Structures are given as C-alpha cells and as structure tokens.
Amino acid sequence: KKKADTWYKVKRSDTIDVIITGSKPPEQYYKDPSTGATHLDRITKPWGEGWIGSLEFKFEDEGGKTHIGYCSGLTDDERRKFSDGNHSIKPKYIGRTIEVEYMEKTSDGNLRHPRFIRLRPEIEK
C-alpha cells in the first residue's frame, strides 16, 4: 500500500540522434569521494584496459548551429567495443550515429546530462 502523503519526483527526458566525432580518455586514477584526493596507487579499470572514457558527439539544432558534447553511460562491453586499446575510439565508429538521452536543452542549445543509449544501425539510402 502506498502512502498518501508521499511525493514522487518525475524527471523529464528526451532523446536525439547525434554523430560520433571522437572520444575522451578515462580518469587514470581513482579519487577519494569525500576529499577529492587522487590515489596514485590505484589505476581505474577503464584506464588499465585501454578503453575510452566518454564519447564526443556533434549535432545541429533547428537553426543550423552545430553543438559539441560528451556523453557517458557506456557499459564495460561498449567501452571495449568502441576502444582501440589506446584510450581512443576506433576510426570505424567516427561518423556513426548514436542515440543520446538528455534531460533538457540549455539556453545556449547544448544538452544537459547526455547519456549514451545505443549505436544506431546504418541506414540504407
């Protein structure tokens, strides 16, 4: 039974198709969440495996202005698939279309909290 005086927070989200333009390397070392101090003796898993950290993408808004952004939300399998083993994206994925989920567009047209959803299949023309 649900409580009558409970509030539920509903967050609106939307998706957009964007083009992959590159990637960012992952964090090399773990950081202490409470102090922010870097642990130079603890290498992160993505860095140790040679994976990418996040995908760089671009898209055009309704006015024709190009926006650039970065999204995370990749699983370990996706990081392995996209990575060339040297913290960069495989060249065959540059120019491919991905679906990105975001909370809203900012006043300057960028995406707030973009997150990778899936790689779009190639569209036959």
Side-chain angles (χ1 to χ4, degrees):
K1 183 176 175 181
K2 292 183 181 179
K3 297 178 183 179
D5 61 349
T6 302
W7 284 84
Y8 294 96
K9 187 173 189 176
V10 178
K11 294 184 176 183
R12 185 180 155 307
S13 65
D14 202 357
T15 62
I16 187 172
D17 288 342
V18 298
I19 306 296
I20 297 174
T21 57
S23 64
K24 273 179 147 176
E27 293 290 329
Q28 185 173 2
Y29 299 106
Y30 283 103
K31 292 184 180 179
D32 187 316
S34 58
T35 64
T38 302
H39 294 276
L40 298 176
D41 57 339
R42 295 186 60 212
I43 293 177
T44 62
K45 180 179 179 180
W47 183 268
E49 298 289 332
W51 299 342
I52 62 171
S54 58
L55 291 173
E56 179 184 88
F57 62 84
K58 72 175 181 178
F59 69 96
E60 284 189 13
D61 61 16
E62 299 81 22
K65 183 178 177 189
T66 301
H67 298 274
I68 305 250
Y70 295 92
C71 67
S72 57
L74 298 163
T75 64
D76 284 354
D77 288 336
E78 291 164 340
R79 286 180 198 278
R80 187 178 301 110
K81 175 182 173 181
F82 289 131
S83 297
D84 67 357
N86 198 22
H87 310 296
S88 295
I89 191 166
K90 290 178 183 173
K92 71 179 184 177
Y93 290 109
I94 295 189
R96 293 281 308 268
T97 302
I98 58 172
E99 184 178 1
V100 172
E101 180 182 47
Y102 63 96
M103 299 299 259
E104 66 179 344
K105 287 188 179 178
T106 62
S107 59
D108 59 354
N110 292 316
L111 306 180
R112 189 178 307 279
H113 308 298
R115 184 175 66 88
F116 174 81
I117 299 294
R118 67 185 176 123
L119 182 67
R120 286 278 194 195
E122 293 294 328
I123 300 170
E124 296 292 325
K125 291 187 178 183

